[in-house]
Amino acid sequence: MELFQAVLLILVCWSLLVSAERSTYIVHMDKSFMPKAFSTHHYWYSYLLKSAARLHGDGSEPRLVHTYDNAFHGFSAVMSESEVSALKKSPGFLSAYPDDVVTLDTTHTYKFLSLNTATGLWPGSQYGKDVIIGVVDTGIWPESPSFNDDGMTEIPARWKGICQAGDQFNSSHCNKKLIGARYFNEGSRASNPDVNITMNSARDESGHGTHVASTAAGNYVDNVSFFGYAGGRARGVAPRARLAAYKVTGWETGSVESDVLAGIDQAVADGVDILSISLSYRRTNLYENPIAIAGFGAREKGILVSVSAGNRGPNAATLLEGIPWAVIVASGTVDRWFAGTLTLGNGITITGWTMFPARAVVRNLPVVYNETLSACSSSELLAEAPEQSIIICNITFESIDFSSVMSYLSQSNVRAAIIISEDTSILRSTDFPFLGVVITPSEAEAVVSYASSDNTPTASIDFQQTILGTEPRAAPALSASSSRGPGRNYRPILKPDIMAPGVLILAAYNPYSSEASIGRNIFLASDYTLLSGTSMACPHISGIAALLKAAHPEWSPAAIQSAMMTTANPRDNTNQPIKDMAFNYRLATPLGMGAGQVDPNRALDPGLVYDATVQDHVNLVCSMNFTSEQTRTIIRSSYNCSNPSSDLNYPSFMFQYETEENRTTTAQFKRTLTNVGNRAATYKVKVEEPKNATVIISPETLVFRKKYDKRSYSMTIRYTSISEIELETADGSLTWIEVNGKHTVRSPIVVYPRLDNDD
């Protein structure tokens, strides 16, 4: 009996221990059940947690971690199992489950793009094995671990390139991963003969080319992070592809077009399969643009050319490189948030933004809110703030920029700052030299209310946190800086073509470059850094193109481009239309994001492709009203202009209407689709018409009897202009849907006014 009682006592104690053990749970709630007595869902959730603790608590209250009010309604909290059981009886409760461990990987974008080792494009392409990517940029830092050749097979015999020796660079720096390196500065030196070049080699002093190359095809590297953010295992998009670096810019003497032409020309001769060009030039005429000219020659040789859209957004027609025979890449965000968790003394927790490069201690410090001081607009003003305090800086309505506020704070005796701002450019920068966290005006309401009403307000901030998923914002979103179409040098074809991750991408860099700072005089270096821009988006497409080339060596560059575009996703990770960061997260349009976010695994098996030959592109150039000399600058004398046509077999549609009042503009497009599926297939069309436009497709059904079978259709668009003043741009889509199959082949349609300077 005594033994039984002892065992029973142990079981009771064990049960109480298990009941009291706390874990983080994610709770889904139906917000419509929230009583009117609560002003916000945050207070409702807090009340429910306290009620659960009173019923089944162990004396220590559960702690609210996050509240959610966008993608779904609910919260996460640290609770015991018994408290979860009590919570389940609450009105509005939907579900609860333990918060699981997230394994972080870098660059995380491969996971965001759903590349995995089990199925899809990675195993289907053997990770891009033996495809050669030529990176035309600022050179390369060959010692970076991303360019080790572990696991690489012998260099393909077709490779004709070399590893060019120069300052601090010799042939031994190349290997089975980095198979070639060259540099081109003759044009630059000629234009500035009195300037001395201190690094006359392919070595990358700026780090830009190194970052691009490792993003496209870097090898596997463990334990990588940016000062504790974005930690994990690094790998490029095509980790088994080869790299060849062509340094054409980054010289003290400046960068000139002739060197770029030379670099691309040599890359074609060396035998690259993909050209990745994260550069742009101001020349708008295609026959003067070095990338357009050399890119045409590359396309002629079967090389896909991937080019960054530029970072001149968000205004319309800021895209300079509207090259019809290149893939033009826009920049979007990823589902990764670099967080500073702000915890107020009253228990409210807010996940803000920070990139302060250290694990700093900010615990239970006094919070100061003063409307005069909150501008944080000068060192003199901040001198009045109490020492060792956390000051609230509201720069939402101030003309002062974030970097200036950081500078003033760094000169003060304030310990940390809570910065209220709506400036989305902060979310693209790693410059965070002072302890602090950025929150939005809506999040700031609770902070200001607490700091104004409590006698002794305090707060703590935790740094170096990386959060993945749909919170606090859905992804991707179009980056505000990404250049928008239509393209300056050719408007009748939609540009950009596609969007890829380009905001705060972690990749290899010059290890002696200052990449972060603390205060005014502490500068930090890192082997890997986070950069933002279409320069970072472009190598993602270059890497995916390499994977597709490896999986489908018979596909032309046009087929690879079509596969990426027609399978791109116009929706974010909450299944809502992709938003634009630049305009308060309104809907993005194809003039910003092209066909949408690239989806590599769907591109592996697109069903149908819009193919185009070199002669098709010749016919396009011949239709551009150039002089014969200008035309030959691009197509050379190898081709003639016997059949000029502006209707290229392209995976998107641009329709220009006349702006005269009540004038109806009609245009017809003809397209041919090739079945790249493994069997016969039937497709039916679905059209989303742009506003005020009529779209007619003939025929509405396409029957493909075998693989590589071709079928053509026509599209007629009619649009009546309302007035010469109220001009508008609208968009829609055309999608071919496989009958009793899985394939959908989508093309964006854009309707926009023809302006005086349009082609």
Side-chain angles (χ1 to χ4, degrees), residues 127-263:
Y127 303 86
K129 181 182 177 183
D130 286 345
V131 176
I132 303 167
I133 302 175
V135 178
V136 181
D137 213 287
T138 63
I140 200 158
W141 196 269
E143 295 90 351
S144 170
S146 286
F147 307 129
N148 76 78
D149 61 1
D150 293 346
M152 303 297 295
T153 56
E154 292 300 316
I155 298 171
R158 59 188 170 84
W159 174 243
K160 301 181 181 67
I162 65 169
C163 196
Q164 184 180 5
D167 293 340
Q168 299 182 34
F169 205 111
N170 56 57
S171 60
S172 65
H173 281 119
C174 292
N175 54 27
K176 296 174 184 177
K177 162 60 74 174
L178 178 61
I179 63 174
R182 296 179 185 262
Y183 61 98
F184 303 86
N185 58 23
E186 289 85 354
S188 178
R189 295 171 69 180
S191 62
N192 295 278
D194 297 328
V195 178
N196 180 48
I197 294 177
T198 59
M199 189 64 71
N200 195 34
S201 71
R203 181 169 292 280
D204 179 18
E205 289 188 290
S206 81
H208 188 275
T210 299
H211 197 280
V212 168
S214 61
T215 299
N219 212 337
Y220 300 91
V221 184
D222 290 323
N223 302 318
V224 169
S225 77
F226 179 78
F227 302 106
Y229 298 96
R233 192 184 198 200
R235 88 285 313 277
V237 175
R240 287 293 177 251
R242 318 285 179 162
L243 284 166
Y246 297 85
K247 183 177 178 179
V248 300
T249 184
W251 311 107
E252 293 97 331
T253 48
S255 305
V256 295
E257 297 166 343
S258 59
D259 290 337
V260 176
L261 281 166

Side-chain angles (χ1 to χ4, degrees), residues 275-402:
L275 270 171
S276 189
I277 307 174
S278 290
L279 306 171
S280 63
Y281 285 83
R282 291 174 293 179
R283 293 183 185 269
T284 55
N285 293 321
L286 289 172
Y287 52 81
E288 295 177 329
N289 185 291
I291 298 175
I293 296 167
F296 189 94
R299 191 76 173 241
E300 181 186 18
K301 299 294 184 182
I303 300 167
L304 184 138
V305 182
S306 175
V307 180
S308 55
N311 306 310
R312 301 173 184 86
N315 293 332
T318 50
L319 194 156
L320 303 183
E321 309 294 350
I323 304 169
W325 42 88
V327 185
I328 308 299
V329 189
S331 168
T333 63
V334 298
D335 63 336
R336 181 170 61 188
W337 186 265
F338 300 125
T341 301
L342 172 65
T343 303
L344 303 179
N346 62 1
I348 292 178
T349 301
I350 297 172
T351 301
W353 175 271
T354 190
M355 291 223 66
F356 185 75
R359 185 180 176 182
V361 178
V362 179
R363 312 304 300 171
N364 300 317
L365 295 179
V367 177
V368 174
Y369 177 68
N370 179 295
E371 289 191 11
T372 301
L373 295 179
S374 68
C376 298
S377 56
S378 70
S379 301
E380 292 77 16
L381 187 65
L382 286 170
E384 301 175 20
E387 295 186 10
Q388 303 300 307
S389 63
I390 302 175
I391 189 170
I392 298 175
C393 296
N394 188 351
I395 62 173
T396 305
F397 304 108
E398 300 294 331
S399 59
I400 188 169
D401 60 88
F402 177 74

Side-chain angles (χ1 to χ4, degrees), residues 546-566:
L547 296 174
L548 291 170
K549 178 75 173 178
H552 299 288
E554 74 282 5
W555 282 7
S556 68
I560 293 173
Q561 177 175 353
S562 174
M564 290 190 288
M565 289 177 63
T566 61

Side-chain angles (χ1 to χ4, degrees), residues 455-750:
N455 291 329
T456 56
T458 61
S460 300
I461 305 175
D462 294 304
F463 299 91
Q464 292 183 324
Q465 298 184 7
T466 302
I467 297 174
L468 306 178
T470 60
E471 294 292 332
R473 292 194 185 276
L478 176 63
S479 173
S481 64
S482 190
S483 293
R484 315 304 167 94
R488 289 278 186 90
N489 46 20
Y490 191 69
R491 296 199 171 195
I493 289 181
L494 174 62
K495 296 290 174 174
D497 294 298
I498 201 163
M499 186 172 77
V503 176
L504 292 178
I505 305 303
L506 185 64
Y509 211 62
N510 178 348
Y512 300 109
S513 173
S514 173
E515 289 309 299
S517 62
I518 297 176
R520 292 175 291 169
N521 55 6
I522 300 176
F523 300 96
L524 307 174
S526 176
D527 291 345
Y528 289 78
T529 196
L530 292 158
L531 295 182
S532 297
T534 55
S535 286
M536 286 63 251
C538 174
H540 281 87
I541 295 299
S542 306
I544 293 167
L547 296 174
L548 291 170
K549 178 75 173 178
H552 299 288
E554 74 282 5
W555 282 7
S556 68
I560 293 173
Q561 177 175 353
S562 174
M564 290 190 288
M565 289 177 63
T566 61
T567 59
N569 194 348
R571 293 181 173 268
D572 61 28
N573 57 0
T574 66
N575 201 33
Q576 297 299 309
I578 291 173
K579 307 302 191 301
D580 190 330
M581 292 179 71
F583 304 102
N584 198 26
Y585 288 87
R586 75 183 185 191
L587 298 185
T589 74
L591 288 174
M593 66 176 180
Q597 172 86 348
V598 65
D599 188 336
N601 292 327
R602 287 193 62 217
L604 174 65
D605 182 19
L608 308 175
V609 296
Y610 293 88
D611 209 349
T613 65
V614 176
Q615 185 62 54
D616 293 331
H617 286 93
V618 169
N619 296 340
L620 176 67
V621 176
C622 292
S623 73
M624 292 181 180
N625 297 321
F626 295 158
T627 67
S628 59
E629 291 80 9
Q630 292 165 350
T631 299
R632 288 198 302 272
T633 299
I634 300 172
I635 67 173
R636 298 180 302 283
S637 57
S638 305
Y639 304 92
N640 60 58
C641 287
S642 59
N643 188 30
S645 173
S646 61
D647 194 13
L648 185 65
N649 196 40
Y650 211 74
S652 61
F653 299 89
M654 282 284 277
F655 172 74
Q656 297 175 286
Y657 67 84
E658 300 297 338
T659 59
E660 184 179 337
E661 186 173 0
N662 294 324
R663 179 173 176 178
T664 299
T665 309
T666 302
Q668 189 173 75
F669 303 85
K670 184 178 180 180
R671 294 289 189 268
T672 299
L673 283 161
T674 302
N675 179 25
V676 293
N678 291 320
R679 58 181 178 82
T682 299
Y683 286 79
K684 289 186 177 295
V685 73
K686 176 185 176 183
V687 177
E688 293 183 7
E689 293 181 328
K691 182 181 177 183
N692 297 329
T694 300
V695 179
I696 300 172
I697 308 298
S698 180
E700 295 184 350
T701 301
L702 299 177
V703 179
F704 300 87
R705 303 193 181 282
K706 58 183 179 179
K707 188 174 184 178
Y708 301 129
D709 206 3
K710 297 179 183 293
R711 292 291 182 270
S712 298
Y713 69 93
S714 66
M715 169 191 283
T716 303
I717 302 180
R718 294 190 183 94
Y719 185 92
T720 301
S721 179
I722 299 173
S723 73
E724 296 182 27
I725 300 175
E726 295 180 15
L727 305 179
E728 68 175 359
T729 298
D731 63 89
S733 64
L734 175 151
T735 305
W736 290 99
I737 302 173
E738 186 179 13
V739 177
N740 299 321
K742 64 179 181 178
H743 299 106
T744 58
V745 185
R746 180 183 179 276
S747 296
I749 304 170
V750 173

